Amino acid sequence: MARAGFQCVEAPEQASLVLADLTLPGAHAALTALMATPAGASLSVVVWVAPGEEAFSTVDSFHPEEVMTSGADCHEVAWRLRRAMKHQYKREEVRRRQQDLALLVELTADYAESLDVEALLHDVTRRIAERLGVGRATLVMLDREGEGARVVAASDASGPQDVPIDLERYPEVREAARTGKPVVVEDAPHHPLFEGVQEELATRHIHTLVALPLIITGVVRGVLLLRARGSDRRTFAPHDMDFLNTVAHSTAVALRNASLLLSVRGKTEREMSARIAAEAKAASLETYHLFFANVREGVAILDDRACVLSLNPAGEAILETSSEAAMGRHLVDITQPLDETVLMELVTAARRGESRSDVDMMVRLPGGRRLTLCFSAGPLEDGRRAIILSFRDVTQARLLADELHHTKDFLERLIDSSVDAIVAADMQGRIILFNKGAEAIFGYTAAQALGGLHVDQLYPQGVSRRIMRQLRSPDFGGRGRLEVCRQEVVSRTGQFVPVNMTASIVHEGGREVASVGIFTDLRDRMALERKLSDVETRLEESEKNAVIVALAGTTAHELNQPLTSVMGYAELLKRKLKEEDAAYKPVDIIYREAERMAEIVRKIGRITRFETKAYMGSQQILDLDKASSNDD
């Protein structure tokens, strides 16, 4: 039996299956006595009989799952026992589900019939604890704000309760309320969720916890809490969780229905007195109605619980409801804000005597349309503890503001991405716009420029006033405009920076409000122009030298022939004449001057560059010695 996976127990209450050997003396009577006990009635029976018709005819009274003869071997016995055990498990599951269903039917019927909700909830916790075998089942209801909680029913209490609890000591309740999902913890003293309260759980021998949220109209309003001690069951099977989830859902529905029923019938004295008080307050506020009826903004008068006492016509039009329909309803139910917390903070502040204004909030109208309303709230100072709430539709205004904001961001990015400097100043000369290009040219940061820099500091003295005169004149591009012109501006270091600039005056409603200048840095362009000018100068010099060299070569070539003839004939004459002849000396002078001319021609032939020297005051002539020199 042990090898087959079975465990033998001493007491029938611990068993699921009984194996009886009816071949032994007294076995039939012993099995009959066992089946007559409460524990035996739920056991599955497998019997072992002797072969033969007589033995088989005696076992029908026991309704056995399996019948074996004494010739069966151990493998057959184990197989038949396992099959009988499967049938037993199925019957137990069916029986358990029938019990759960019967309990759910009873609870549902009680929920539908009973008006004493508190007593009913106490009875529910008691039945759940008995059904699941846990020491304590508790129903915890949460405040509307979710900051506090109260125990309204407990299985081990004598009746309904109303005991506040600290949620810091019940982290499983806080977690179920936060997530809206069941929380199951099987080893609470060592679970990280219970850090800070682990010692308390260990002292109270609490090991297994289950917290199931009670969701009403989409919001967790309560938690069904089960805490099992060490002596209780330590785990919850899937069918137990199914049962608990169904109970939690039924309880949530019952609480919602009970709340609606009480709201419709107005049976409790508290609600009756509140309604009477609301009607009295509404009557006392009648003096304000004429004034509120002519106000273009929506105006609602609220009591100290944020329920509507009065709603003016503008408010009816904005919220698409009537004052009669809104009377007595909570503000949150009427406006259905996307962020309920912000609206309730506004009302809470007014309840404390503080006034708040211009709080934007998106609300949902009954038709599903969404509006952005701007709320203001304050206490109604007449001793009635009422709250006055005003609101106006700012949906289109906020959409336009968003579009303008996006457009402004785009234009600012566009201006900042310009390589040219863009500077704007108001009519007093204070800088109001200074882009990245302006930072590069002037050397100031945008923060420095906008922090008090005057536009006069960007120009040489008197230039800014001259530019304004030109802007107002029709002669420089038209009134209010200045065509592109060359100008110098002053950087932060005092350096004069050449720029091309254009400017204009910005008008608003026919009035001058600002001036804008656009500056193009010319430093790189002028440096390039200087380089081009130097290249052109060198090119001209090179061309001039080429002309001079070509002219010199031609001149030397053309003069050499006649000079050679002159020198030749002069030398012949000298040879024929004697020194004492009167013509000798003139011929000698002709010869020497011709040689001198020949030397000059040779210099002309060696000219390689254009070099001049002063001649007769301011005149310049070619310097043959430097122009024909081979020195650099």
Side-chain angles (χ1 to χ4, degrees):
M1 292 290 288
R3 285 198 302 270
F6 292 96
Q7 180 182 1
C8 294
V9 294
E10 297 295 333
E13 292 78 7
Q14 301 173 347
S16 298
L17 184 71
V18 58
L19 174 61
D21 185 359
L22 298 183
T23 63
L24 298 177
H28 194 282
L31 181 57
T32 301
L34 175 61
M35 296 298 291
T37 65
S42 61
L43 293 175
S44 292
V45 178
V46 177
V47 295
W48 203 335
V49 298
E53 180 180 355
E54 182 180 356
F56 275 89
S57 63
T58 62
V59 300
D60 288 340
S61 59
F62 301 115
H63 305 289
E65 290 288 340
E66 294 287 344
V67 179
M68 298 177 291
T69 61
S70 56
D73 60 11
C74 61
H75 299 291
E76 180 182 353
V77 173
W79 182 84
R80 290 181 179 275
L81 288 176
R82 279 194 293 269
R83 190 168 71 166
M85 187 62 74
K86 289 179 181 178
H87 293 164
Q88 174 68 6
Y89 287 155
K90 289 180 180 180
R91 280 196 299 273
E92 289 180 354
E93 180 66 22
V94 170
R95 184 166 57 251
R96 185 165 46 243
R97 290 185 179 277
Q98 289 176 343
Q99 292 174 351
D100 292 346
L101 182 59
L103 181 55
L104 289 174
V105 170
E106 292 178 9
L107 293 178
T108 303
D110 291 343
Y111 284 149
E113 296 174 0
S114 176
L115 291 178
D116 189 352
V117 179
E118 295 178 347
L120 177 60
L121 294 177
H122 171 261
D123 187 55
V124 168
T125 56
R126 180 185 57 78
R127 293 187 189 185
I128 292 174
E130 292 176 354
R131 161 66 183 82
L132 297 176
V134 296
R136 182 177 174 85
T138 308
L139 186 62
V140 180
M141 298 304 295
L142 304 173
D143 295 346
R144 179 176 287 273
E145 292 80 10
E147 298 176 354
R150 308 180 74 85
V151 174
V152 298
S155 61
D156 55 354
S158 58
Q161 294 197 318
D162 187 15
V163 180
I165 61 172
D166 182 6
L167 287 178
E168 294 296 327
R169 295 179 54 238
Y170 292 83
E172 70 275 28
V173 174
R174 195 170 61 245
E175 183 68 11
R178 184 184 69 84
T179 62
K181 298 179 179 179
V183 176
V184 182
V185 179
E186 294 187 353
D187 189 7
H190 301 91
H191 197 280
L193 178 64
F194 296 92
E195 184 176 357
V197 296
Q198 293 171 333
E199 184 176 349
E200 178 182 349
L201 294 177
T203 302
R204 297 169 63 182
H205 305 290
I206 296 174
H207 289 272
T208 305
L209 301 115
V210 176
L212 297 105
L214 304 181
I215 301 175
I216 303 175
T217 63
V219 180
V220 178
R221 296 300 186 192
V223 174
L224 179 60
L225 175 63
L226 287 84
R227 288 188 165 192
R229 297 184 179 87
S231 58
D232 300 333
R233 57 185 302 151
R234 297 176 60 89
T235 61
F236 289 85
H239 60 82
D240 294 327
M241 293 304 301
D242 292 341
F243 170 73
L244 287 173
N245 281 320
T246 305
V247 171
H249 178 70
S250 300
T251 304
V253 172
L255 289 173
R256 184 196 63 185
N257 293 340
S259 176
L260 292 175
L261 181 62
L262 292 176
S263 175
V264 172
R265 295 182 179 178
K267 292 298 184 179
T268 63
E269 292 183 1
R270 187 190 314 168
E271 292 210 353
M272 289 293 291
S273 60
R275 176 167 295 184
I276 293 172
E279 292 174 353
K281 285 186 177 181
S284 66
L285 294 171
E286 191 66 31
T287 55
Y288 297 100
H289 286 181
L290 181 60
F291 171 72
F292 292 152
N294 295 284
V295 175
R296 296 181 61 184
E297 291 189 356
V299 177
I301 306 299
L302 312 177
D303 63 14
D304 57 355
R305 296 181 298 113
C307 293
V308 176
L309 299 176
S310 174
L311 184 65
N312 74 334
E316 293 177 340
I318 293 174
L319 299 178
E320 297 182 358
T321 187
S322 64
S323 180
E324 292 76 10
M327 180 74 71
R329 293 177 60 193
H330 196 276
L331 178 63
V332 171
D333 297 332
I334 296 175
T335 58
Q336 299 184 52
L338 297 188
D339 191 346
E340 178 181 331
T341 305
V342 177
L343 182 59
M344 292 311 299
E345 286 179 356
L346 184 70
V347 173
T348 303
R351 190 182 297 155
R352 293 195 302 265
E354 302 174 9
S355 296
R356 300 281 178 88
S357 60
D358 298 330
V359 178
D360 285 357
M361 215 172 312
M362 186 171 287
V363 302
R364 288 171 292 213
L365 299 182
R369 189 163 61 95
R370 295 187 178 186
L371 293 180
T372 300
L373 301 183
C374 182
F375 287 90
S376 298
L380 194 61
E381 302 293 346
D382 62 353
R384 296 184 179 90
R385 296 182 62 194
I387 300 168
I388 181 169
L389 181 76
S390 64
F391 49 93
R392 64 184 187 277
D393 186 357
V394 294
T395 306
Q396 294 301 324
R398 296 300 181 260
L399 289 175
L400 181 59
D402 288 342
E403 291 179 4
L404 290 176
H405 179 71
H406 293 318
T407 302
K408 177 176 177 292
D409 288 344
F410 172 75
L411 292 176
E412 287 179 350
R413 291 194 299 270
L414 184 65
I415 290 172
D416 263 347
S417 64
S418 172
V419 295
D420 290 335
I422 302 177
V423 179
D426 61 19
M427 300 315 294
Q428 286 72 44
R430 294 187 294 265
I431 303 295
I432 57 177
L433 176 64
F434 203 80
N435 75 335
K436 297 291 184 183
E439 291 180 347
I441 290 180
F442 294 99
Y444 297 98
T445 65
Q448 292 171 335
L450 300 177
L453 186 66
H454 197 276
V455 71
D456 288 346
Q457 297 174 251
L458 304 180
Y459 298 96
Q461 187 174 4
V463 173
S464 63
R465 298 183 182 276
R466 174 172 59 80
I467 290 174
M468 285 304 298
R469 289 195 298 271
Q470 292 175 344
L471 280 168
R472 293 190 174 101
S473 171
D475 302 329
F476 300 93
R479 293 187 185 277
R481 296 181 62 83
L482 178 64
E483 60 189 8
V484 178
C485 61
R486 182 70 62 90
Q487 182 60 54
E488 283 189 338
V489 296
V490 182
S491 70
R492 183 184 180 187
T493 60
Q495 178 187 3
F496 286 85
V497 180
V499 296
N500 271 345
M501 73 166 291
T502 181
S504 62
I505 295 178
V506 180
H507 293 82
E508 187 176 289
R511 182 172 58 90
E512 295 180 353
V513 294
S515 61
V516 180
I518 301 176
F519 306 84
T520 303
D521 193 344
L522 297 181
R523 285 177 290 188
D524 292 340
R525 184 185 300 180
M526 293 182 68
L528 181 60
E529 289 177 354
R530 284 194 296 270
K531 290 181 181 180
L532 290 175
S533 178
D534 292 342
V535 171
E536 289 177 356
T537 301
R538 288 197 297 271
L539 182 59
E540 290 176 359
E541 291 292 334
S542 177
E543 291 176 350
K544 188 183 295 185
N545 288 336
V547 171
I548 293 297
V549 170
L551 178 62
T554 303
T555 302
H557 177 71
E558 295 297 331
L559 291 177
N560 267 331
Q561 291 182 356
L563 279 175
T564 301
S565 297
V566 170
M567 289 178 65
Y569 285 110
E571 188 175 0
L572 288 175
L573 287 173
K574 282 179 66 178
R575 289 179 180 178
K576 290 182 178 182
L577 297 173
K578 295 181 179 179
E579 291 185 4
E580 59 271 13
D581 291 340
Y584 183 83
K585 187 174 181 180
V587 171
D588 184 53
I589 291 172
I590 290 172
Y591 181 77
R592 288 198 305 272
E593 291 300 320
E595 278 190 339
R596 186 163 157 246
M597 289 179 65
E599 179 61 27
I600 292 172
V601 170
R602 283 193 293 272
K603 288 182 178 180
I604 292 173
R606 293 198 301 271
I607 288 176
T608 58
R609 60 183 180 274
F610 181 73
E611 294 285 348
T612 62
K613 64 181 179 179
Y615 177 71
M616 295 182 65
S618 61
Q619 293 185 4
Q620 296 287 323
I621 63 173
L622 186 67
D623 189 339
L624 281 176
D625 291 333
K626 291 183 178 180
S628 61
S629 174
N630 290 327
D631 298 335
D632 293 336

